[in-house]
Amino acid sequence: MSKPAPPPTGMRRNLANYGDAAFSVFLRKAFIKALGYTDEALDRPIIGIVDTNSGYNACHSNIPDLIEAAKRGVLLAGGIPIPFPVISIQESFANPTSMYLRNLMAMDVEEMIRAQPMDAVILLGGCDKTVPALLMGAASANVPAILLVTGPMLAGSWRGERLGACTDCRRYWGRYRAGALDDTQIGEINGELAPTIGTCGVMGTASTMALAAEAMGMMLPGGATIPAVMAERRRLAEMTGTRAVAMAAENLTPVQIMTPTAFKNALRVVLAAGGSTNALIHLTAIAGRCGIGIDLAGFDRMGRETPVLVDLKPTGQGYMEDLHRAGGLTAMLRALGPMVDTSSLTVSGRTMAENLAGLPPAWPQDVVKPCDAPVAPSGAMAVLRGNLAPEGAIIKQAAARASLLQHTGRAVVFADLADLAARIDSDDLDVTADDILVLQNAGPKGAPGMPEAGYIPIPKKLLRAGVTDMVRISDARMSGTAFGTIVLHISPEAALGGPLALVQSGDQIRLDTAGRRIDVLLSDEELARRRAALPAAPTGAGRRGYEKLYFDTVTQAERGCDFDFCIPEITRMVP
Ligand code: FES
């Protein structure tokens, strides 16, 4: 029997279908030769480079430089680099929300990798939703892929105080709302919050996902924390290009790297970083694309045993440039020791243990704490259940006020974002500091797009009285840069008839973080009576285009808010 032909490579991959493969190659070469390529160049391995630069995205503004450096690395290794665009999403330039568009970007990435000829692909991104979308798409396409993030911005300075996006955006805005800052001062601060290009400089979602991706092995060592403006990042881009050519030859694909162990390492690092709650949704979505499930109870157990080690805002004091100078993820992995399984494979072609062995030894620093003197002994995040969250909810304990973690209070309910905006600062609002602010209909379908509205503002009249934190609960998400005693991701969401929809102002709600519960103190009979009066859940009926697809197929937080038809059968779980 003759051996089957090897799969096509380079320009012969993913041919446009004219019913004659030789003609398809002939035609393709005719067009690409218009760019000046020779036949010899076109016979080399092709490395696609996903370009997510956009005039709307300052977090990605160094991508042209990174592409040039990555191209140099590809050429040095004997490949041909071909950048191509996909959509770009920046947090503050996406209506209704960036989360609403994440799956669209993931589909764009997957299909453009699948459609075009490339033997490996370099994924370039950085802003919150772009790294998850790149990894989701790459996992589904399963072509050798290596991630390079744009890197964090540097911290700014205002009248002697260090500041940066976006924990300080919220902190100073709260002080402005309370009347502690005037228009001139808040204007000056506005000009310093993002003093350079790059991703937010605190332990927000972008920083958390960069660390998680490096911990998963999808990025070269050190790649998560190098600031966007440093030459070191360009050198890493060159190395990434060189490595992509080798990965093409090795056919080292994302699902070989993104294993259950890799996701466990990523979740561990998220917890030790005091990272963003959004990371749990994104990692669930990426794992789902690999047929891997993340069990919320297991994540909660991991949270109980993982100390918070990184002293960065919003849980601590520093900025990403400080973490980078302290050794970045390498310092974290060394501090976590046996809590990380370093046998996992990485894009370097070596295990994490082999990577660590080749890196410089640790040096004295005070940003990554040792396990015996952590920022917090455990519990960066906790998973809650109860009659308000049968499918789960999450609280970032590390960024909460300890005295509010066990709290029973009267509900002050806002039916949706419009209701919140209309009434939160009204002097007539019946609210005290002991009440629990409840936001309904801000989940994946309710808003839609699960906005980062879980950081419900403290009512102005309480702010003026010096209140800085209250228990707040919702089916929304929260920016990784935010802080407070905030219960998020309540599932099922209110718009689907979840129990959150049944809460009325005046009800008593009990938050029992130690017992991992969030409950409304109502009888089952009363809840059933109220449920009968709920409106029908929103669907795609009467909608068109992407909006229809979104409403018909988006899943709840515990499934990563991915589209149900994009998730293969879950056959493995994170151990
Ligand atoms: Fe892009 Fe924060 S807005 S990383």
Side-chain angles (χ1 to χ4, degrees):
M1 242 171 73
S2 62
K3 278 189 10 194
T9 59
M11 275 295 147
R12 289 164 185 78
R13 288 176 77 118
N14 302 335
L15 292 174
N17 195 353
Y18 299 106
D20 177 347
F23 176 71
S24 297
V25 175
F26 173 76
L27 200 60
R28 175 174 281 178
K29 281 193 163 185
F31 280 103
I32 201 156
K33 281 179 178 174
L35 296 172
Y37 289 100
T38 62
D39 279 315
E40 198 225 337
L42 295 174
D43 279 343
R44 291 176 180 253
I46 295 175
I47 308 302
I49 304 177
V50 181
D51 180 356
T52 55
N53 190 23
S54 155
Y56 291 104
N57 199 340
C59 308
H60 290 197
S61 280
N62 58 346
I63 280 186
D65 288 346
L66 296 179
I67 287 178
E68 278 313 301
K71 285 168 80 173
R72 187 166 63 243
V74 171
L75 291 166
L76 282 169
I80 290 294
I82 303 187
F84 64 95
V86 298
I87 62 171
S88 184
I89 308 169
Q90 205 275 356
E91 286 301 293
S92 51
F93 285 89
N95 177 275
T97 73
S98 58
M99 189 67 172
Y100 177 76
L101 297 168
R102 184 202 64 181
N103 297 348
L104 180 65
M105 182 174 172
M107 293 172 79
D108 187 2
V109 170
E110 174 184 349
E111 297 306 330
M112 295 319 288
I113 292 175
R114 217 195 287 287
Q116 302 172 125
M118 61 193 81
D119 299 300
V121 60
I122 298 170
L123 310 167
L124 270 177
C127 194
D128 293 14
K129 304 303 174 295
T130 62
V131 167
L134 288 166
L135 292 176
M136 289 162 72
S140 296
N142 206 28
V143 167
I146 183 168
L147 178 70
L148 177 66
V149 294
T150 53
M153 63 178 70
L154 299 178
S157 171
W158 179 69
R159 299 189 184 182
E161 265 188 71
R162 251 179 129 199
L163 75 176
C166 222
T167 302
D168 297 316
C169 312
R170 296 170 205 286
R171 187 164 62 87
Y172 284 113
W173 188 250
R175 287 176 59 189
Y176 176 64
R177 277 169 41 83
L181 293 170
D182 62 27
D183 287 347
T184 302
Q185 290 170 317
I186 199 71
E188 289 173 10
I189 289 163
N190 190 252
E192 276 298 315
L193 286 166
T196 73
I197 59 166
T199 50
C200 288
V202 297
M203 192 53 71
T205 304
S207 303
T208 308
M209 286 307 302
L211 287 168
E214 187 182 335
M216 268 196 291
M218 287 301 293
M219 213 187 316
L220 288 177
T225 53
I226 305 167
V229 295
M230 286 177 68
E232 191 182 353
R233 180 152 294 286
R234 283 145 187 79
R235 286 195 289 273
L236 186 80
E238 183 186 298
M239 289 158 60
T240 300
T242 298
R243 181 59 201 150
V245 178
M247 288 178 71
E250 297 159 7
N251 196 27
L252 181 54
T253 61
V255 298
Q256 290 172 262
I257 295 168
M258 293 197 283
T259 63
T261 300
F263 282 103
K264 186 171 185 182
N265 287 341
L267 291 166
R268 183 79 75 191
V269 162
V270 168
L271 290 163
S276 164
T277 46
N278 287 324
L280 180 58
I281 293 183
H282 296 318
L283 287 170
T284 301
I286 301 162
R289 294 296 184 101
C290 302
I292 297 169
I294 293 177
D295 169 44
L296 283 179
F299 179 67
D300 187 70
R301 274 196 304 278
M302 213 188 294
R304 291 176 190 265
E305 67 192 29
T306 308
V308 179
L309 300 180
V310 180
D311 187 12
L312 251 61
K313 290 184 176 184
T315 54
Q317 291 307 313
Y319 294 85
M320 282 296 278
E321 63 191 80
D322 305 321
L323 176 58
H324 180 59
R325 288 195 193 98
L329 182 74
T330 301
M332 289 182 68
L333 295 175
R334 286 180 172 149
L336 283 166
M339 276 191 272
V340 176
D341 184 342
T342 55
S343 67
S344 56
L345 185 62
T346 74
V347 287
S348 71
R350 298 186 293 266
T351 64
M352 191 186 283
E354 290 167 334
N355 289 341
L356 285 170
L359 292 167
W363 54 87
Q365 49 82 27
D366 61 359
V367 178
V368 181
K369 309 290 184 187
C371 282
D372 57 4
V375 176
S378 67
M381 294 180 215
V383 176
L384 308 175
R385 291 190 190 268
N387 74 358
L388 265 182
E391 300 300 330
I394 194 154
I395 183 167
K396 186 171 178 179
Q397 299 182 84
R401 174 163 299 174
S403 60
L404 288 174
L405 289 171
Q406 303 295 125
H407 184 79
T408 301
R410 185 185 64 142
V412 176
V413 177
F414 300 92
D416 53 30
L417 287 162
D419 185 30
L420 177 73
R423 295 195 293 124
I424 189 72
D425 286 336
S426 165
D427 283 336
D428 297 334
L429 185 67
D430 178 13
V431 65
T432 72
D434 290 333
D435 291 337
I436 294 181
L437 303 179
V438 179
L439 173 62
Q440 299 166 325
N441 295 305
K445 291 193 186 183
M450 208 178 181
E452 292 185 339
Y455 180 74
I456 303 168
I458 305 288
K460 242 182 192 168
K461 66 182 190 182
L462 296 182
L463 271 179
R464 286 194 292 260
V467 176
T468 55
D469 196 7
M470 295 173 71
V471 177
R472 290 160 267 179
I473 74 171
S474 73
D475 45 11
R477 293 177 303 116
M478 173 173 88
S479 166
T481 61
F483 47 87
T485 312
I486 298 174
V487 177
L488 303 154
H489 309 180
I490 287 182
S491 179
E493 64 174 300
L496 296 191
L500 183 68
L502 310 177
V503 179
Q504 297 173 358
S505 288
D507 293 342
Q508 289 289 307
I509 290 176
R510 182 171 57 215
L511 169 63
D512 171 13
T513 309
R516 299 297 195 258
R517 289 194 66 88
I518 179 83
D519 293 283
V520 58
L521 305 184
L522 294 172
S523 67
D524 291 346
E525 293 72 29
E526 176 61 14
L527 290 172
R529 190 185 67 74
R530 292 187 188 181
R531 181 168 288 112
L534 286 180
T539 69
R543 305 175 199 267
R544 58 162 297 282
Y546 179 72
E547 186 185 31
K548 176 174 172 52
L549 184 69
Y550 182 92
F551 271 90
D552 279 338
T553 64
V554 74
T555 57
Q556 295 286 283
E558 70 275 9
R559 293 186 69 199
C561 300
D562 199 0
F563 293 153
D564 57 13
F565 63 89
C566 288
I567 309 171
E569 184 187 357
I570 301 295
T571 56
R572 296 172 294 169
M573 296 299 291
V574 171

